[in-house]
Amino acid sequence: MTEIALDTSLASARERLTRALDAAGRPHDDARLLAVSKTKPALMIRQAWQLGQREFGENYLQEALDKQADLADLDGIVWHFIGPLQSNKTRAVAEHFDWVHSVDRLKIARRLSEQRPETLGPLNICLQVNISREESKAGVMPKALGELAAAVAELPRLRLRGLMAIPAPAETLDAQRKPLAALREAQEALKQALPETPLDTLSMGMSDDLEAAILEGATLVRLGTAIFGARNPR
């Protein structure tokens, strides 16, 4: 994708988000775009940053670390780790990212807290919920969410911010909204149970279900192809 095309695609993604917020009767600053930049070169991220994008999501650790080194001169860039997280990756993630969206086990959360450098602020955490209860998907099951959230909220170097989900694909707007509404309701229940925890983030909605996610309260929508074009093979 050329720089001119990236300019067009990013503007289009922003306009789509604005239209969705209007349709939901929500303020324009109520949700923001997370540009999913996995498999895309550092140059494209730099171009997006020059166009005003600041938050980027990466799935693959070594690829992300290489890009971060190439882009260390960019002020205000915010890195989100959104891929599966294993124990052998937690130290690098704790040291190099601002957000993690894929925490679904207390063991992983504890390692992130222990390995987060004291020179950095608390690591922002979203708990990944298997909201569609798919056996093949990662994420804590809804029935276990409350216990996990309470434990993560107590960890000293983490800041529990909210929930993330990747629902099963659905064809209609109403069908897309159902699991997203369940995630929103789960977060509302957590707010009641954990009133001292700043649960202000719902990371949900991608290219196919952005409008449904905004209708259900998403505050962070994850767009990759819509911004950067088709994914490159790894």
Side-chain angles (χ1 to χ4, degrees):
M1 183 177 287
T2 67
E3 186 171 357
I4 294 175
L6 184 59
D7 185 13
T8 301
S9 64
L10 187 55
S12 178
R14 289 168 175 162
E15 290 169 6
R16 184 180 172 192
L17 177 59
T18 297
R19 288 195 303 269
L21 288 164
D22 285 338
R26 298 173 59 189
H28 289 176
D29 62 355
D30 220 26
R32 61 193 194 275
L33 291 177
L34 176 59
V36 178
S37 47
K38 62 182 179 183
T39 79
K40 298 301 179 180
L43 177 59
M44 291 188 75
I45 298 175
R46 184 177 295 276
Q47 291 170 348
W49 180 89
Q50 290 168 344
L51 294 166
Q53 179 65 29
R54 291 293 180 267
E55 297 187 79
F56 297 89
E58 292 283 335
N59 286 57
Y60 309 116
L61 180 58
Q62 189 55 55
E63 176 191 320
L65 295 176
D66 291 343
K67 293 180 201 176
Q68 289 174 355
D70 289 342
L71 301 169
D73 59 304
L74 300 185
D75 292 333
I77 195 165
V78 179
W79 294 102
H80 296 244
F81 190 80
I82 60 177
L85 187 52
Q86 299 163 340
S87 295
N88 63 346
K89 298 179 181 179
T90 54
R91 182 175 298 279
V93 169
E95 292 175 348
H96 293 280
F97 285 82
D98 305 289
W99 287 74
V100 180
H101 292 229
S102 48
V103 174
D104 60 3
R105 288 167 288 158
L106 184 56
K107 174 184 176 181
I108 294 296
R110 283 177 173 153
R111 289 177 65 88
L112 289 170
S113 179
E114 292 165 359
Q115 295 167 346
R116 180 69 167 175
E118 292 188 4
T119 54
L120 300 177
L123 182 60
N124 295 296
I125 298 295
C126 289
L127 300 179
Q128 183 172 355
V129 183
N130 190 341
I131 201 65
S132 298
R133 298 174 173 82
E134 297 176 272
E135 291 185 5
S136 62
K137 286 280 182 72
V140 60
M141 288 295 178
K143 65 182 180 181
L145 175 60
E147 182 179 355
L148 177 62
V152 172
E154 294 297 320
L155 294 174
R157 301 295 303 153
L158 306 184
R159 178 177 290 125
L160 179 59
R161 297 293 296 271
L163 304 179
M164 183 274 263
I166 307 172
E171 295 297 324
T172 67
L173 182 67
D174 286 344
Q176 289 174 346
R177 290 184 67 174
K178 186 174 181 180
L180 300 170
L183 191 71
R184 171 179 49 78
E185 291 164 1
Q187 176 137 309
E188 290 170 354
L190 287 182
K191 288 180 178 180
Q192 296 294 320
L194 303 170
E196 302 301 317
T197 303
L199 295 167
D200 56 8
T201 301
L202 272 176
S203 171
M204 61 186 193
M206 297 184 287
S207 295
D208 292 338
D209 60 356
L210 179 149
E211 285 76 15
I214 291 298
L215 285 169
E216 293 300 338
T219 63
L220 198 59
V221 292
R222 309 182 303 272
L223 295 186
T225 301
I227 294 174
F228 293 109
R231 188 181 308 169
N232 300 329
R234 295 190 72 212

